[in-house]
Amino acid sequence: MKRWAKTNTQSGFTIVELLIVIVVIGILAAITIVAFNGVQARARDSERKSELRSVEKSLELYYADNGSYPATVGIGAPSGCLSIQHWNCWGAGTSTGQLVPSVYMSAAPQDPSIKDSGACAFPNTYQSRMYSYFVNATRQGYRLATYMENVSTSDPNYFDGSSNIGCANFANYVINKNY
């Protein structure tokens, strides 16, 4: 009878192979996390732009019916955050009220990443993440402003902060209408 030699048939991975796989997975995870954070910021900016367009449309409807833009933010909106007369800011807390009567807009939008839940605790910093509205003296023009996380300097609504715009001192995105 022939005796078969016992061969080592155990299969598995060496420690070096395991370490290489762990390092590769770690690198891919880090890249994915960084890319995902950028996507989230762009999504919040997209939501901000969409909300400002909604406000803009409601202001135009108001103008069509009344011949002028509203003078102030409606009842219930925070007023303690007004740092300069005629500017109206909202979106920093729960009592946002209405920008225009509910016929035109049910409620003023809130920023998707509210940093100041105390409704105007930091009115002149980027932390507030508020929207701002200013109507000129004749009520025939206005500005809507907010802070975007990723705004390009080539964007036509980019605002470089070269002039004081009230409670939106830290705004970097401004929509002007007849202003």
Side-chain angles (χ1 to χ4, degrees):
M1 223 189 239
K2 219 178 188 190
R3 287 187 126 185
W4 294 96
K6 197 172 192 183
T7 58
N8 190 0
T9 59
Q10 289 181 332
S11 63
F13 297 106
T14 65
I15 190 77
V16 173
E17 291 171 329
L18 288 174
L19 287 175
I20 290 172
V21 169
I22 290 170
V23 167
V24 168
I25 290 172
I27 291 171
L28 291 174
I31 291 170
T32 303
I33 289 170
V34 170
F36 184 67
N37 285 339
V39 168
Q40 287 179 315
R42 287 191 300 273
R44 286 189 298 270
D45 282 348
S46 178
E47 186 175 346
R48 288 180 186 104
K49 287 179 182 181
S50 175
E51 288 173 344
L52 285 181
R53 281 191 298 271
S54 294
V55 171
E56 193 174 18
K57 288 175 186 172
S58 67
L59 290 171
E60 293 306 319
L61 289 171
Y62 183 94
Y63 183 85
D65 289 347
N66 299 291
S68 63
Y69 294 106
T72 61
V73 172
I75 296 170
S79 58
C81 59
L82 305 181
S83 60
I84 289 185
Q85 189 178 11
H86 305 299
W87 270 99
N88 297 273
C89 305
W90 77 94
T94 56
S95 61
T96 56
Q98 297 171 317
L99 179 62
V100 294
S102 60
V103 171
Y104 307 101
M105 179 176 250
S106 60
Q110 290 198 15
D111 190 275
S113 65
I114 294 173
K115 299 293 185 194
D116 170 19
S117 59
C120 303
F122 303 103
N124 291 316
T125 68
Y126 72 92
Q127 295 172 336
S128 294
R129 296 276 197 242
M130 295 190 295
Y131 296 109
S132 303
Y133 167 73
F134 176 79
V135 64
N136 62 14
T138 63
R139 292 178 49 196
Q140 299 300 306
Y142 63 84
R143 281 183 166 180
L144 287 171
T146 192
Y147 178 85
M148 298 283 182
E149 296 174 63
N150 295 307
V151 65
S152 169
T153 56
S154 63
D155 189 312
N157 295 317
Y158 171 74
F159 180 73
D160 65 2
S162 60
S163 66
N164 189 334
I165 58 171
C167 52
N169 286 346
F170 286 85
N172 61 4
Y173 188 85
V174 177
I175 296 173
N176 293 302
K177 175 69 178 194
N178 299 331
Y179 191 83

